[in-house]
Amino acid sequence: MDTEIFRKISYGVYIVSSRKGDRINAQTANAVVQITAAPPQLVLGICKDNFTNECIKESGVFAVSILSQETPLSLIGRFGFKSGREVDKFAGLSYRLGNNGCPVLQEHTLGYLEGKVVKELDAGTHTLFVGMVTDAQRVNEGEPMTYAYYHQVKRGTTPMSAPTYIEAEKKEQREEKTMEKYTCTVCGYIYDPEQGDPDSGVAPGTPFEELPDDWVCPMCGATKDQFEPAE
Amino acid sequence: MDTEIFRKISYGVYIVSSRKGDRINAQTANAVVQITAAPPQLVLGICKDNFTNECIKESGVFAVSILSQETPLSLIGRFGFKSGREVDKFAGLSYRLGNNGCPVLQEHTLGYLEGKVVKELDAGTHTLFVGMVTDAQRVNEGEPMTYAYYHQVKRGTTPMSAPTYIEAEKKEQREEKTMEKYTCTVCGYIYDPEQGDPDSGVAPGTPFEELPDDWVCPMCGATKDQFEPAE
Protein backbone atom coordinates (compact mmCIF):
# COMPACT_ATOMS: atom_id res chain seq x y z
CA MET A 1 0.00 0.00 0.00
CA ASP A 2 1.34 3.42 -1.00
CA THR A 3 0.11 5.77 1.74
CA GLU A 4 1.30 8.81 -0.24
CA ILE A 5 -1.84 8.58 -2.35
CA PHE A 6 -3.98 9.46 0.69
CA ARG A 7 -2.50 12.94 0.40
CA LYS A 8 -4.21 13.43 -2.94
CA ILE A 9 -7.64 13.44 -1.33
CA SER A 10 -8.77 17.08 -1.17
CA TYR A 11 -10.11 18.81 1.94
CA GLY A 12 -10.87 22.23 3.30
CA VAL A 13 -9.74 23.42 6.74
CA TYR A 14 -12.42 24.11 9.32
CA ILE A 15 -12.93 25.05 12.94
CA VAL A 16 -15.54 22.68 14.37
CA SER A 17 -17.03 23.99 17.61
CA SER A 18 -19.46 22.79 20.25
CA ARG A 19 -20.31 23.38 23.89
CA LYS A 20 -20.73 21.54 27.16
CA GLY A 21 -22.97 23.42 29.54
CA ASP A 22 -21.48 26.91 29.70
CA ARG A 23 -18.12 25.90 28.28
CA ILE A 24 -17.42 26.36 24.62
CA ASN A 25 -14.70 24.62 22.67
CA ALA A 26 -13.52 24.05 19.12
CA GLN A 27 -10.86 22.28 17.10
CA THR A 28 -9.30 22.32 13.67
CA ALA A 29 -10.81 19.68 11.39
CA ASN A 30 -10.59 18.63 7.77
CA ALA A 31 -13.07 15.74 7.56
CA VAL A 32 -16.20 17.78 6.85
CA VAL A 33 -18.49 17.02 3.89
CA GLN A 34 -22.04 17.66 2.83
CA ILE A 35 -23.70 14.27 2.52
CA THR A 36 -27.23 15.18 1.39
CA ALA A 37 -28.75 18.30 -0.16
CA ALA A 38 -32.40 17.70 0.78
CA PRO A 39 -32.41 18.03 3.70
CA PRO A 40 -28.95 19.61 4.07
CA GLN A 41 -26.80 17.29 6.16
CA LEU A 42 -23.11 17.29 6.97
CA VAL A 43 -20.77 14.54 8.09
CA LEU A 44 -17.95 15.34 10.51
CA GLY A 45 -15.10 13.08 11.58
CA ILE A 46 -13.89 13.97 15.08
CA CYS A 47 -11.17 12.21 17.11
CA LYS A 48 -12.57 10.53 20.22
CA ASP A 49 -9.70 11.85 22.37
CA ASN A 50 -10.62 15.45 21.63
CA PHE A 51 -12.65 17.58 24.03
CA THR A 52 -14.76 18.75 21.06
CA ASN A 53 -15.93 15.16 20.59
CA GLU A 54 -17.06 15.04 24.22
CA CYS A 55 -18.87 18.37 23.80
CA ILE A 56 -20.69 17.32 20.62
CA LYS A 57 -21.74 14.02 22.21
CA GLU A 58 -23.11 15.79 25.27
CA SER A 59 -24.83 18.78 23.64
CA GLY A 60 -25.78 17.20 20.31
CA VAL A 61 -24.98 20.45 18.50
CA PHE A 62 -22.01 21.88 16.58
CA ALA A 63 -20.92 24.64 14.25
CA VAL A 64 -18.41 24.60 11.40
CA SER A 65 -16.50 27.79 10.58
CA ILE A 66 -15.00 27.69 7.09
CA LEU A 67 -11.51 29.21 7.18
CA SER A 68 -10.25 31.57 4.50
CA GLN A 69 -7.00 31.05 2.61
CA GLU A 70 -5.48 33.99 4.52
CA THR A 71 -5.87 32.34 7.93
CA PRO A 72 -2.55 32.53 9.82
CA LEU A 73 -0.93 29.29 10.92
CA SER A 74 -1.16 30.47 14.52
CA LEU A 75 -4.97 30.31 14.46
CA ILE A 76 -5.01 26.84 12.92
CA GLY A 77 -2.34 25.74 15.39
CA ARG A 78 -4.18 27.20 18.36
CA PHE A 79 -7.23 25.08 17.55
CA GLY A 80 -5.27 22.05 16.36
CA PHE A 81 -2.38 21.58 18.77
CA LYS A 82 -3.87 22.57 22.12
CA SER A 83 -6.63 21.02 24.16
CA GLY A 84 -9.73 22.93 25.20
CA ARG A 85 -9.53 20.96 28.44
CA GLU A 86 -6.57 23.17 29.38
CA VAL A 87 -6.97 26.47 27.54
CA ASP A 88 -9.78 28.74 26.37
CA LYS A 89 -9.07 28.61 22.65
CA PHE A 90 -11.33 31.56 21.88
CA ALA A 91 -9.61 34.01 24.27
CA GLY A 92 -8.77 37.18 22.34
CA LEU A 93 -10.50 36.08 19.15
CA SER A 94 -13.49 37.65 17.46
CA TYR A 95 -16.37 35.20 17.60
CA ARG A 96 -20.04 35.05 18.46
CA LEU A 97 -22.44 32.36 19.60
CA GLY A 98 -24.66 30.90 16.90
CA ASN A 99 -28.37 30.13 17.33
CA ASN A 100 -27.50 26.76 18.81
CA GLY A 101 -25.05 28.23 21.31
CA CYS A 102 -21.92 27.05 19.53
CA PRO A 103 -19.19 29.63 18.86
CA VAL A 104 -18.53 30.74 15.28
CA LEU A 105 -15.45 32.71 14.25
CA GLN A 106 -15.86 36.19 12.83
CA GLU A 107 -12.28 36.53 11.59
CA HIS A 108 -10.50 34.56 8.84
CA THR A 109 -13.85 32.89 8.23
CA LEU A 110 -15.89 32.82 5.03
CA GLY A 111 -19.00 31.66 6.85
CA TYR A 112 -20.38 28.97 9.07
CA LEU A 113 -22.86 26.13 9.26
CA GLU A 114 -24.71 25.26 12.45
CA GLY A 115 -25.99 21.77 12.99
CA LYS A 116 -27.73 19.25 15.17
CA VAL A 117 -26.49 15.67 15.41
CA VAL A 118 -29.01 13.21 14.01
CA LYS A 119 -26.85 10.09 13.86
CA GLU A 120 -23.42 8.99 14.90
CA LEU A 121 -21.20 6.10 13.99
CA ASP A 122 -18.20 4.66 15.78
CA ALA A 123 -15.29 4.54 13.33
CA GLY A 124 -12.53 3.42 15.70
CA THR A 125 -10.31 6.34 16.74
CA HIS A 126 -12.86 8.81 15.39
CA THR A 127 -16.61 9.34 15.61
CA LEU A 128 -18.61 10.11 12.50
CA PHE A 129 -21.34 12.62 13.29
CA VAL A 130 -24.16 13.13 10.80
CA GLY A 131 -25.71 16.54 11.43
CA MET A 132 -28.76 18.33 10.11
CA VAL A 133 -27.78 21.87 9.14
CA THR A 134 -29.98 24.29 11.08
CA ASP A 135 -28.43 27.55 9.89
CA ALA A 136 -25.75 28.74 7.46
CA GLN A 137 -24.44 32.27 7.04
CA ARG A 138 -21.73 34.08 5.14
CA VAL A 139 -19.27 36.16 7.17
CA ASN A 140 -16.45 37.39 4.90
CA GLU A 141 -15.65 37.25 1.19
CA GLY A 142 -12.68 35.19 0.03
CA GLU A 143 -11.43 31.81 -1.03
CA PRO A 144 -11.53 28.81 1.30
CA MET A 145 -8.34 27.44 2.84
CA THR A 146 -7.66 23.97 1.47
CA TYR A 147 -5.59 21.27 3.07
CA ALA A 148 -3.25 21.33 0.06
CA TYR A 149 -2.72 25.08 0.40
CA TYR A 150 -2.16 24.70 4.12
CA HIS A 151 0.57 22.11 3.57
CA GLN A 152 2.21 23.43 0.41
CA VAL A 153 1.99 27.19 0.77
CA LYS A 154 1.60 27.70 4.50
CA ARG A 155 3.84 24.74 5.39
CA GLY A 156 1.46 23.65 8.12
CA THR A 157 1.75 20.33 9.95
CA THR A 158 -0.75 17.67 11.02
CA PRO A 159 -1.45 16.63 14.63
CA MET A 160 -1.49 12.93 15.44
CA SER A 161 -5.21 13.14 16.26
CA ALA A 162 -6.09 14.11 12.68
CA PRO A 163 -7.68 11.43 10.49
CA THR A 164 -5.04 12.14 7.87
CA TYR A 165 -1.90 11.93 10.02
CA ILE A 166 0.87 10.06 8.27
CA GLU A 167 4.09 9.05 10.01
CA ALA A 168 5.83 9.75 6.74
CA GLU A 169 5.14 13.43 7.17
CA LYS A 170 7.50 13.67 10.11
CA LYS A 171 9.98 11.37 8.42
CA GLU A 172 9.97 13.42 5.26
CA GLN A 173 10.55 16.57 7.28
CA ARG A 174 13.52 14.96 9.02
CA GLU A 175 14.98 14.05 5.68
CA GLU A 176 15.41 17.69 4.73
CA LYS A 177 19.12 18.03 5.33
CA THR A 178 19.74 21.78 5.24
CA MET A 179 21.30 22.63 8.61
CA GLU A 180 19.78 26.10 8.66
CA LYS A 181 16.26 24.78 9.11
CA TYR A 182 14.93 24.32 12.63
CA THR A 183 12.18 21.95 13.74
CA CYS A 184 9.67 22.67 16.51
CA THR A 185 9.94 19.76 18.94
CA VAL A 186 6.31 20.28 20.00
CA CYS A 187 4.40 20.20 16.73
CA GLY A 188 6.89 19.39 13.99
CA TYR A 189 6.69 22.78 12.26
CA ILE A 190 9.90 23.54 10.36
CA TYR A 191 11.31 27.05 10.36
CA ASP A 192 12.85 27.57 6.93
CA PRO A 193 15.00 30.72 6.69
CA GLU A 194 14.28 30.94 2.97
CA GLN A 195 10.57 31.31 3.70
CA GLY A 196 10.82 33.27 6.94
CA ASP A 197 7.56 33.58 8.86
CA PRO A 198 5.54 36.28 7.09
CA ASP A 199 2.51 35.71 9.37
CA SER A 200 4.64 36.97 12.27
CA GLY A 201 6.38 39.72 10.30
CA VAL A 202 9.62 37.77 9.75
CA ALA A 203 10.94 38.39 6.24
CA PRO A 204 12.15 35.57 3.97
CA GLY A 205 15.92 35.19 4.32
CA THR A 206 16.01 35.63 8.12
CA PRO A 207 18.29 33.01 9.77
CA PHE A 208 16.85 31.21 12.80
CA GLU A 209 19.54 32.76 15.00
CA GLU A 210 18.34 36.24 14.12
CA LEU A 211 14.72 35.66 15.09
CA PRO A 212 13.68 37.87 18.05
CA ASP A 213 13.87 36.15 21.45
CA ASP A 214 10.11 36.45 21.89
CA TRP A 215 9.41 34.80 18.53
CA VAL A 216 7.23 31.69 18.93
CA CYS A 217 6.32 28.80 16.69
CA PRO A 218 3.63 30.14 14.32
CA MET A 219 1.93 26.78 14.49
CA CYS A 220 1.72 25.92 18.19
CA GLY A 221 3.22 28.83 20.13
CA ALA A 222 6.32 26.94 21.38
CA THR A 223 9.25 29.18 22.33
CA LYS A 224 12.50 29.47 20.39
CA ASP A 225 14.39 27.17 22.78
CA GLN A 226 11.95 24.37 21.94
CA PHE A 227 13.36 24.27 18.42
CA GLU A 228 16.24 22.10 17.32
CA PRO A 229 18.24 21.94 14.09
CA ALA A 230 16.40 19.90 11.48
CA GLU A 231 18.21 16.59 11.00
CA MET B 1 -30.12 30.00 5.82
CA ASP B 2 -27.65 31.10 3.13
CA THR B 3 -27.08 27.99 1.00
CA GLU B 4 -24.25 29.71 -0.89
CA ILE B 5 -21.95 28.97 2.02
CA PHE B 6 -22.20 25.23 1.30
CA ARG B 7 -20.16 25.94 -1.84
CA LYS B 8 -17.20 26.96 0.30
CA ILE B 9 -16.73 23.42 1.55
CA SER B 10 -13.79 21.93 -0.37
CA TYR B 11 -13.80 18.58 -2.16
CA GLY B 12 -11.86 16.57 -4.68
CA VAL B 13 -13.44 14.82 -7.66
CA TYR B 14 -13.35 11.04 -7.71
CA ILE B 15 -14.56 8.04 -9.66
CA VAL B 16 -16.02 5.58 -7.16
CA SER B 17 -16.36 2.09 -8.62
CA SER B 18 -17.75 -1.26 -7.59
CA ARG B 19 -19.10 -4.45 -9.09
CA LYS B 20 -22.12 -6.69 -9.03
CA GLY B 21 -21.26 -10.22 -10.07
CA ASP B 22 -19.49 -9.82 -13.42
CA ARG B 23 -20.74 -6.31 -14.02
CA ILE B 24 -18.56 -3.36 -13.12
CA ASN B 25 -19.77 0.17 -12.63
CA ALA B 26 -18.61 3.54 -11.36
CA GLN B 27 -19.78 7.08 -10.79
CA THR B 28 -18.39 10.54 -10.21
CA ALA B 29 -18.35 11.45 -6.51
CA ASN B 30 -17.09 14.26 -4.33
CA ALA B 31 -18.02 13.10 -0.81
CA VAL B 32 -14.89 11.04 -0.10
CA VAL B 33 -12.79 11.57 3.04
CA GLN B 34 -10.30 9.67 5.13
CA ILE B 35 -11.85 9.22 8.55
CA THR B 36 -9.12 7.36 10.44
CA ALA B 37 -5.41 6.88 9.88
CA ALA B 38 -4.90 3.74 11.98
CA PRO B 39 -6.34 1.67 10.48
CA PRO B 40 -6.84 3.62 7.23
CA GLN B 41 -10.54 4.05 6.66
CA LEU B 42 -12.52 6.13 4.17
CA VAL B 43 -16.06 7.44 4.21
CA LEU B 44 -18.03 7.66 0.97
CA GLY B 45 -21.41 9.29 0.42
CA ILE B 46 -23.27 7.60 -2.43
CA CYS B 47 -26.79 8.39 -3.69
CA LYS B 48 -29.20 5.53 -3.10
CA ASP B 49 -30.68 5.89 -6.61
CA ASN B 50 -27.33 5.19 -8.24
CA PHE B 51 -26.38 1.79 -9.58
CA THR B 52 -22.99 2.14 -7.85
CA ASN B 53 -24.76 2.20 -4.50
CA GLU B 54 -26.51 -1.08 -5.38
CA CYS B 55 -23.16 -2.59 -6.44
CA ILE B 56 -21.34 -1.54 -3.25
CA LYS B 57 -24.17 -2.88 -1.09
CA GLU B 58 -24.13 -6.21 -2.87
CA SER B 59 -20.37 -6.77 -3.22
CA GLY B 60 -19.19 -4.92 -0.11
CA VAL B 61 -16.15 -3.60 -2.01
CA PHE B 62 -15.24 -0.40 -3.84
CA ALA B 63 -12.37 1.56 -5.35
CA VAL B 64 -11.79 5.29 -5.52
CA SER B 65 -9.83 6.72 -8.45
CA ILE B 66 -8.50 10.21 -7.70
CA LEU B 67 -8.88 12.38 -10.81
CA SER B 68 -6.18 14.76 -11.97
CA GLN B 69 -6.78 18.43 -12.67
CA GLU B 70 -6.40 17.74 -16.40
CA THR B 71 -9.37 15.37 -16.54
CA PRO B 72 -11.66 16.38 -19.44
CA LEU B 73 -15.26 17.29 -18.64
CA SER B 74 -16.39 14.46 -20.90
CA LEU B 75 -14.95 11.84 -18.54
CA ILE B 76 -16.50 13.40 -15.46
CA GLY B 77 -19.79 13.78 -17.34
CA ARG B 78 -19.72 10.20 -18.59
CA PHE B 79 -19.52 8.91 -15.02
CA GLY B 80 -21.77 11.59 -13.55
CA PHE B 81 -24.66 12.06 -15.92
CA LYS B 82 -25.28 8.56 -17.22
CA SER B 83 -26.44 5.44 -15.46
CA GLY B 84 -24.45 2.23 -15.44
CA ARG B 85 -27.79 0.43 -15.64
CA GLU B 86 -27.97 1.56 -19.29
CA VAL B 87 -24.40 2.02 -20.51
CA ASP B 88 -20.97 0.49 -19.94
CA LYS B 89 -19.22 3.57 -18.61
CA PHE B 90 -15.76 2.04 -19.01
CA ALA B 91 -16.10 1.24 -22.72
CA GLY B 92 -13.08 2.69 -24.54
CA LEU B 93 -11.30 3.81 -21.39
CA SER B 94 -8.01 2.62 -20.00
CA TYR B 95 -8.67 0.84 -16.71
CA ARG B 96 -7.79 -2.33 -14.87
CA LEU B 97 -9.38 -4.40 -12.15
CA GLY B 98 -7.97 -3.92 -8.66
CA ASN B 99 -7.25 -6.71 -6.18
CA ASN B 100 -10.85 -6.59 -5.01
CA GLY B 101 -12.25 -6.79 -8.54
CA CYS B 102 -13.32 -3.16 -8.76
CA PRO B 103 -12.22 -1.17 -11.81
CA VAL B 104 -9.64 1.60 -11.38
CA LEU B 105 -8.89 4.18 -14.06
CA GLN B 106 -5.42 4.33 -15.59
CA GLU B 107 -5.91 7.69 -17.35
CA HIS B 108 -6.45 11.13 -15.81
CA THR B 109 -5.92 9.44 -12.46
CA LEU B 110 -3.32 10.20 -9.80
CA GLY B 111 -3.93 6.93 -8.02
CA TYR B 112 -6.55 4.83 -6.36
CA LEU B 113 -7.66 3.37 -3.05
CA GLU B 114 -9.36 0.00 -2.80
CA GLY B 115 -11.64 -0.73 0.11
CA LYS B 116 -13.99 -3.09 1.87
CA VAL B 117 -17.17 -1.82 3.52
CA VAL B 118 -17.09 -2.27 7.29
CA LYS B 119 -20.09 -0.15 8.25
CA GLU B 120 -22.86 1.73 6.56
CA LEU B 121 -25.28 4.39 7.68
CA ASP B 122 -28.55 5.50 6.14
CA ALA B 123 -28.40 9.26 5.64
CA GLY B 124 -31.66 9.77 3.75
CA THR B 125 -31.11 10.17 0.01
CA HIS B 126 -27.53 8.92 0.38
CA THR B 127 -25.76 6.02 2.06
CA LEU B 128 -22.60 6.63 4.08
CA PHE B 129 -20.18 3.77 3.57
CA VAL B 130 -17.24 3.39 5.94
CA GLY B 131 -14.57 1.34 4.22
CA MET B 132 -11.30 -0.19 5.32
CA VAL B 133 -8.63 0.63 2.76
CA THR B 134 -7.14 -2.64 1.50
CA ASP B 135 -4.77 -1.21 -1.10
CA ALA B 136 -3.61 2.16 -2.38
CA GLN B 137 -1.39 2.84 -5.39
CA ARG B 138 -0.11 5.78 -7.38
CA VAL B 139 -0.81 5.82 -11.11
CA ASN B 140 0.23 9.19 -12.57
CA GLU B 141 1.94 12.35 -11.30
CA GLY B 142 -0.05 15.56 -11.09
CA GLU B 143 -2.35 17.70 -9.03
CA PRO B 144 -5.77 16.48 -7.94
CA MET B 145 -8.92 17.88 -9.52
CA THR B 146 -10.86 19.84 -6.93
CA TYR B 147 -14.54 20.62 -6.96
CA ALA B 148 -13.71 24.35 -7.02
CA TYR B 149 -11.45 23.91 -10.06
CA TYR B 150 -14.08 21.81 -11.78
CA HIS B 151 -16.72 24.51 -11.33
CA GLN B 152 -14.63 27.64 -11.78
CA VAL B 153 -12.07 26.68 -14.40
CA LYS B 154 -13.69 23.74 -16.16
CA ARG B 155 -17.21 25.19 -15.84
CA GLY B 156 -18.61 21.79 -14.91
CA THR B 157 -22.14 21.24 -13.60
CA THR B 158 -23.63 19.14 -10.80
CA PRO B 159 -26.16 16.32 -11.27
CA MET B 160 -29.26 16.30 -9.06
CA SER B 161 -28.08 13.08 -7.40
CA ALA B 162 -24.97 14.78 -5.98
CA PRO B 163 -24.97 15.56 -2.26
CA THR B 164 -24.03 19.14 -3.13
CA TYR B 165 -26.65 19.89 -5.76
CA ILE B 166 -28.10 23.36 -5.34
CA GLU B 167 -31.12 24.58 -7.28
CA ALA B 168 -29.45 27.97 -7.36
CA GLU B 169 -26.79 26.61 -9.67
CA LYS B 170 -29.27 26.22 -12.50
CA LYS B 171 -30.91 29.51 -11.65
CA GLU B 172 -27.61 31.34 -11.64
CA GLN B 173 -26.74 29.85 -15.00
CA ARG B 174 -30.08 30.98 -16.44
CA GLU B 175 -29.41 34.48 -15.21
CA GLU B 176 -26.45 34.87 -17.54
CA LYS B 177 -28.07 37.02 -20.19
CA THR B 178 -25.59 36.95 -23.10
CA MET B 179 -27.57 35.59 -26.07
CA GLU B 180 -24.55 33.91 -27.58
CA LYS B 181 -24.33 31.34 -24.82
CA TYR B 182 -26.17 28.05 -25.23
CA THR B 183 -27.38 25.72 -22.49
CA CYS B 184 -27.46 21.94 -22.71
CA THR B 185 -31.04 20.93 -21.91
CA VAL B 186 -29.83 17.55 -20.64
CA CYS B 187 -27.19 18.45 -18.05
CA GLY B 188 -27.20 22.22 -17.73
CA TYR B 189 -23.71 22.74 -19.23
CA ILE B 190 -23.37 26.19 -20.79
CA TYR B 191 -21.46 26.61 -24.03
CA ASP B 192 -19.71 29.97 -23.80
CA PRO B 193 -18.23 31.13 -27.14
CA GLU B 194 -15.62 33.15 -25.26
CA GLN B 195 -14.27 29.96 -23.68
CA GLY B 196 -14.89 27.59 -26.59
CA ASP B 197 -14.48 23.91 -25.74
CA PRO B 198 -10.73 23.26 -25.65
CA ASP B 199 -11.22 19.65 -24.48
CA SER B 200 -12.89 18.94 -27.83
CA GLY B 201 -10.52 21.09 -29.88
CA VAL B 202 -12.87 24.07 -30.19
CA ALA B 203 -10.93 27.33 -29.89
CA PRO B 204 -12.07 30.18 -27.67
CA GLY B 205 -14.08 32.69 -29.73
CA THR B 206 -16.01 30.06 -31.72
CA PRO B 207 -19.74 30.95 -31.94
CA PHE B 208 -22.20 28.16 -31.16
CA GLU B 209 -23.49 28.30 -34.75
CA GLU B 210 -20.03 27.48 -36.09
CA LEU B 211 -19.54 24.35 -34.01
CA PRO B 212 -19.30 21.23 -36.19
CA ASP B 213 -22.58 19.31 -36.58
CA ASP B 214 -21.10 16.31 -34.80
CA TRP B 215 -20.01 18.38 -31.79
CA VAL B 216 -21.54 17.07 -28.58
CA CYS B 217 -21.89 18.43 -25.07
CA PRO B 218 -18.49 17.93 -23.41
CA MET B 219 -20.28 17.18 -20.16
CA CYS B 220 -22.95 14.62 -21.06
CA GLY B 221 -22.64 13.89 -24.78
CA ALA B 222 -25.94 15.52 -25.81
CA THR B 223 -26.10 16.58 -29.47
CA LYS B 224 -26.10 20.18 -30.72
CA ASP B 225 -29.87 20.25 -31.26
CA GLN B 226 -30.36 19.53 -27.55
CA PHE B 227 -28.94 22.98 -26.77
CA GLU B 228 -31.00 26.11 -26.49
CA PRO B 229 -30.03 29.76 -26.16
CA ALA B 230 -29.20 30.58 -22.53
CA GLU B 231 -32.00 32.74 -21.11
Side-chain angles (χ1 to χ4, degrees):
Chain A
M1 189 178 313
D2 181 350
T3 56
E4 272 301 303
I5 197 64
F6 283 93
R7 290 167 177 260
K8 301 294 185 184
I9 302 176
S10 301
Y11 304 94
V13 182
Y14 312 95
I15 302 298
V16 172
S17 68
S18 188
R19 59 181 166 82
K20 187 177 177 181
D22 285 344
R23 281 181 72 184
I24 56 172
N25 190 51
Q27 67 161 73
T28 308
N30 66 287
V32 174
V33 293
Q34 184 178 0
I35 171 70
T36 60
Q41 293 183 115
L42 296 180
V43 175
L44 318 174
I46 303 289
C47 181
K48 287 182 188 170
D49 293 340
N50 292 1
F51 185 46
T52 304
N53 189 302
E54 193 180 321
C55 293
I56 297 177
K57 281 208 168 128
E58 184 158 317
S59 67
V61 289
F62 63 86
V64 177
S65 299
I66 301 173
L67 295 181
S68 76
Q69 212 171 57
E70 288 72 34
T71 307
L73 278 182
S74 56
L75 189 138
I76 298 172
R78 173 202 284 241
F79 284 100
F81 287 96
K82 294 186 174 161
S83 173
R85 291 192 181 91
E86 285 128 41
V87 295
D88 173 5
K89 296 187 185 181
F90 285 97
L93 290 181
S94 172
Y95 72 97
R96 67 176 196 77
L97 297 184
N99 293 326
N100 66 4
C102 297
V104 289
L105 280 176
Q106 300 293 294
E107 51 186 293
H108 307 299
T109 296
L110 303 184
Y112 61 87
L113 302 130
E114 295 183 32
K116 192 177 84 174
V117 175
V118 290
K119 288 193 178 175
E120 65 177 78
L121 191 69
D122 183 339
T125 55
H126 288 62
T127 310
L128 263 183
F129 294 105
V130 179
M132 188 70 69
V133 177
T134 51
D135 199 9
Q137 298 298 336
R138 267 181 276 195
V139 176
N140 297 298
E141 292 300 309
E143 291 304 309
M145 172 75 88
T146 64
Y147 214 54
Y149 188 89
Y150 170 69
H151 278 99
Q152 287 160 21
V153 183
K154 306 282 277 186
R155 300 176 51 80
T157 56
T158 306
M160 285 187 66
S161 61
T164 50
Y165 180 78
I166 300 177
E167 268 296 330
E169 180 170 334
K170 283 194 123 165
K171 191 160 155 270
E172 180 185 289
Q173 288 170 354
R174 276 191 219 106
E175 280 166 2
E176 299 188 18
K177 298 284 182 199
T178 317
M179 286 305 291
E180 294 160 322
K181 292 178 186 171
Y182 277 73
T183 307
C184 175
T185 56
V186 178
C187 76
Y189 169 84
I190 294 183
Y191 177 77
D192 180 352
E194 277 185 35
Q195 311 262 343
D197 174 15
D199 279 352
S200 313
V202 174
T206 307
F208 182 80
E209 294 74 15
E210 291 180 16
L211 290 171
D213 287 342
D214 61 354
W215 179 84
V216 294
C217 174
M219 195 70 221
C220 74
T223 51
K224 227 181 133 180
D225 58 0
Q226 293 179 289
F227 276 68
E228 57 186 29
E231 283 161 37
Chain B
M1 189 179 309
D2 182 348
T3 55
E4 273 301 303
I5 197 65
F6 284 93
R7 290 167 177 261
K8 301 295 185 184
I9 302 175
S10 301
Y11 304 93
V13 182
Y14 311 96
I15 301 298
V16 172
S17 67
S18 188
R19 60 180 165 81
K20 187 177 178 180
D22 285 344
R23 282 180 72 182
I24 57 171
N25 191 49
Q27 67 161 76
T28 308
N30 67 287
V32 173
V33 293
Q34 184 179 1
I35 171 71
T36 62
Q41 293 183 114
L42 296 181
V43 175
L44 319 175
I46 302 289
C47 182
K48 287 183 188 171
D49 293 341
N50 291 1
F51 185 47
T52 304
N53 188 301
E54 192 180 321
C55 292
I56 297 176
K57 280 208 169 128
E58 184 157 318
S59 67
V61 289
F62 64 86
V64 177
S65 299
I66 301 173
L67 294 181
S68 77
Q69 212 170 57
E70 287 70 36
T71 307
L73 279 183
S74 56
L75 188 138
I76 298 172
R78 173 203 284 240
F79 283 100
F81 286 96
K82 293 185 176 162
S83 173
R85 292 194 181 90
E86 284 127 41
V87 295
D88 174 5
K89 296 187 185 181
F90 285 96
L93 290 181
S94 170
Y95 72 97
R96 68 176 194 77
L97 295 185
N99 294 326
N100 66 4
C102 297
V104 289
L105 280 176
Q106 300 294 294
E107 51 186 296
H108 308 298
T109 296
L110 303 184
Y112 61 87
L113 302 130
E114 295 183 33
K116 192 177 84 173
V117 176
V118 290
K119 286 192 179 179
E120 65 177 78
L121 191 71
D122 184 338
T125 54
H126 289 61
T127 309
L128 264 182
F129 294 105
V130 179
M132 189 70 70
V133 177
T134 51
D135 198 9
Q137 298 298 338
R138 267 180 276 194
V139 176
N140 297 298
E141 292 301 309
E143 291 305 310
M145 171 76 86
T146 64
Y147 213 54
Y149 188 88
Y150 169 68
H151 278 100
Q152 287 160 22
V153 183
K154 304 283 276 189
R155 300 175 53 79
T157 55
T158 307
M160 285 189 66
S161 61
T164 50
Y165 180 78
I166 301 178
E167 268 297 329
E169 181 170 331
K170 285 194 123 166
K171 193 160 154 267
E172 181 186 288
Q173 289 170 353
R174 278 192 216 104
E175 280 166 1
E176 298 188 20
K177 298 284 182 197
T178 317
M179 285 306 291
E180 291 160 321
K181 292 178 184 169
Y182 277 72
T183 308
C184 174
T185 57
V186 178
C187 76
Y189 170 84
I190 293 183
Y191 176 78
D192 179 352
E194 277 184 35
Q195 313 262 344
D197 174 16
D199 280 352
S200 313
V202 175
T206 307
F208 183 80
E209 295 73 15
E210 290 179 17
L211 290 169
D213 287 342
D214 60 355
W215 179 84
V216 294
C217 174
M219 195 71 220
C220 74
T223 51
K224 225 181 134 180
D225 57 1
Q226 292 179 288
F227 275 69
E228 56 186 32
E231 285 161 35

